[in-house]
Amino acid sequence: MSRALITGASAGLGREFARTLAAEGNDVVLVARSADRLEELAAELAPTGVNIEVLAADLGNETDLARVASRLRATDDPVTLLVNNAGFGLGQDFVGGTLERELEGLNVMVRAVLVLCHAAAPAMRGRGFGSIINVSSMTALTAQGTYSAHKAWARTFTEGLAAELAGTGVTATVVTPGLIRTEFHERSEVDSSQWPDFVFAQPRQVVDEALTAARRGRVIVTPTRLYKAASALAKFAPRALVRKIAGPGLSGRNG
């Protein structure tokens, strides 16, 4: 049995990671801002019989982030899998948007990932085993503003971390999903009905592929055949074309 700490566990992909890992018999540490939603999830997972910790924390807050990092360093009941999943759509253009919102996104999707990996990796390396999964996005290959930039950072950072950890018994994997059927789009004020059903992956499929990749020591995984093909096209397409078809203003946001 292992113990997984999952950020952004109260909804969407994070909630599915928690459900899947608990069903497999792994203890879980649930991290998100909403204590109420975490307690609700803990109650749902209770019948699995695993140990469930609820750690309410806003990863954009330095004090809260430090508490989560401290949990990752703990030698009692150590965390053997870190899933950095917390994130959100900014819901604004960079030009004309608020700086406060931009910094909030940077803190949650970049700074928090760095801080938590910096806490987890040495602890795992000292024990000689462990895994880190960082959730990026297909948008890492596009040019849709700062969200794309944050996710591109997560991808590149994870590749470097994986290389540094090679041979230590600790792995780092970055998952780059495309569109997923979660509440992400609603929260980001994006009308998901504009896209056909076949382009959406189910959360469980993304989680299963991410966990399989991590257990096999793979560094990059793009779930579903559709997005594997799209990823290959985006890598080799001229950047001018990428900016035209997947640049700012083309994210599907309302308004």
Side-chain angles (χ1 to χ4, degrees):
M1 181 183 294
S2 64
R3 178 173 286 99
L5 186 149
I6 306 149
T7 70
S10 63
L13 205 58
R15 195 177 187 94
E16 196 63 38
F17 268 110
R19 286 170 171 160
T20 301
L21 287 162
E24 291 176 351
N26 302 287
D27 294 337
V28 291
V29 183
L30 309 175
V31 179
R33 290 186 300 176
S34 172
D36 289 345
R37 295 192 71 170
L38 290 180
E39 292 291 353
E40 176 187 317
L41 177 58
E44 176 190 328
L45 301 181
T48 64
V50 303
N51 183 268
I52 303 165
E53 297 177 50
V54 169
L55 182 51
D58 178 355
L59 298 183
N61 177 281
E62 190 171 345
T63 301
D64 283 6
L65 179 60
R67 287 195 295 112
V68 181
S70 179
R71 179 63 186 88
L72 289 166
R73 295 189 196 96
T75 55
D76 294 334
D77 299 324
V79 171
T80 55
L81 169 63
L82 166 63
V83 181
N84 275 311
N85 165 75
F88 57 90
L90 277 68
Q92 66 176 27
D93 293 330
F94 180 76
V95 179
T98 68
L99 181 58
E100 180 181 24
R101 185 66 167 170
E102 294 294 339
L103 292 174
E104 185 181 2
L106 184 70
N107 285 336
V108 171
M109 290 181 277
V110 175
R111 187 172 185 272
V113 173
L114 185 150
V115 169
L116 298 185
C117 286
H118 193 266
M124 292 177 180
R125 184 176 61 182
R127 293 188 293 269
F129 66 94
S131 298
I132 295 170
I133 296 175
N134 291 329
V135 177
S136 178
S137 168
M138 270 290 297
T139 60
L141 301 175
T142 69
Q144 294 179 26
T146 46
Y147 183 82
S148 291
H150 299 336
K151 293 304 184 179
W153 181 91
R155 178 185 170 116
T156 302
F157 168 74
T158 308
E159 288 189 84
L161 180 61
E164 188 171 343
L165 291 171
T168 67
V170 183
T171 62
T173 298
V174 61
V175 55
T176 59
L179 295 169
I180 312 171
R181 280 293 182 202
T182 68
E183 60 194 72
F184 176 89
H185 297 103
E186 181 181 346
R187 289 184 169 189
S188 305
E189 299 184 358
V190 172
D191 178 13
S192 61
S193 67
Q194 66 192 291
W195 296 299
D197 286 342
F198 75 86
V199 304
F200 286 89
Q202 294 300 318
R204 181 60 187 268
Q205 181 179 11
V206 174
V207 167
D208 285 347
E209 291 201 36
L211 291 174
T212 297
R215 288 162 180 160
R216 293 177 178 174
R218 290 173 56 194
V219 178
I220 302 174
V221 57
T222 302
T224 78
R225 292 180 180 178
L226 173 64
Y227 286 107
K228 283 180 174 66
S231 176
L233 289 173
K235 286 179 185 176
F236 296 106
R239 291 306 294 177
L241 177 61
V242 171
R243 291 191 295 273
K244 183 176 181 180
I245 65 174
L250 295 172
S251 63
R253 190 170 63 248
N254 294 327

